[in-house]
């Protein structure tokens, strides 16, 4: 919270732009999220008014159009990448996310058993549909594959994947099938 809010917002938005440049929707989502982050917790009447403006934009764009929940209280480092504009991403309000993190669509960062939310270090990649739940830490540069559910700490540089899909044998043939 140093300097004017608009300069901090501009710096953070510029750090995100190269990673989200291919999607105007991703740029818009990040700009709205960063706007909320820089006005969150600032004292004064201007900050109060800006939080109200952010609340309206957040409701219209992020929640209703994109379908994500990206609370302004989340501490996020610079250079965040939101492919697919963060559609369906849900982040706990007290989560901490490092710099240069990628969150694909339908990622959930939440709690379980009323414990603290996850801490995500720098350079982490979260694939589509990944869920990171509970009081865990994801180490720097780790990768979480699509649809993986992570409930334990992940060491730096490790990759976690969900079980691969496989076909099940049918117990009995259907009546319309010839033996």
């Amino acid at each position: 919270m140093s300097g004017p809010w608009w300069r901090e917002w501009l710096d953070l938005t510029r750090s995100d732009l190269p990673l989200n440049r291919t999607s105007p929707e991703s740029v818009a989502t990040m700009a709205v999220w960063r706007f909320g982050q820089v006005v969150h917790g600032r004292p004064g009447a201007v900050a109060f008014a800006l939080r109200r403006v952010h609340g309206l934009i957040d409701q219209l764009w992020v929640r209703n159009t994109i379908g994500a929940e990206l609370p302004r209280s989340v501490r996020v480092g610079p250079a965040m990448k939101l492919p697919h504009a963060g559609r369906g991403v849900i982040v706990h309000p007290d989560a901490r996310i490092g710099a240069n993190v990628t969150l694909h669509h339908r990622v959930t960062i939440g709690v379980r058993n009323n414990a603290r939310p996850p801490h995500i270090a720098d350079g982490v990649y979260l694939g589509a549909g990944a869920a990171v739940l509970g009081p865990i830490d994801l180490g720097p540069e780790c990768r979480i594959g699509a649809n993986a559910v992570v409930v334990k700490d992940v060491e730096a540089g490790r990759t976690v994947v969900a079980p691969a899909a496989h076909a099940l044998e049918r117990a009995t043939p259907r009546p319309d099938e010839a033996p």
Side-chain angles (χ1 to χ4, degrees), residues 91-110:
V91 180
H92 189 277
D94 297 327
R96 291 191 338 216
I97 302 173
N100 200 26
V101 171
T102 300
L103 300 179
H104 275 273
H105 57 287
R106 292 183 19 244
V107 165
T108 300
I109 300 171

Side-chain angles (χ1 to χ4, degrees), residues 168-179:
L168 298 176
E169 297 290 327
R170 275 197 217 143
T172 57
R174 290 187 284 184
D176 60 336
E177 291 179 339

Side-chain angles (χ1 to χ4, degrees), residues 107-177:
V107 165
T108 300
I109 300 171
V111 300
R112 55 188 175 93
N113 302 331
N114 295 322
R116 76 161 170 84
H119 295 164
I120 298 172
D122 297 344
V124 172
Y125 172 92
L126 294 166
V132 181
L133 305 171
I136 63 173
D137 296 314
L138 299 185
E141 304 295 328
C142 71
R143 301 175 60 79
I144 309 301
N147 295 318
V149 178
V150 182
V151 294
K152 294 181 181 177
D153 291 347
V154 178
E155 296 174 13
R158 299 294 302 251
T159 299
V160 177
V161 296
H166 61 280
L168 298 176
E169 297 290 327
R170 275 197 217 143
T172 57
R174 290 187 284 184
D176 60 336
E177 291 179 339

Side-chain angles (χ1 to χ4, degrees), residues 2-12:
S2 60
W5 70 268
W6 55 269
R7 184 164 293 153
E8 186 179 344
W9 174 78
L10 196 58
D11 290 343
L12 284 169

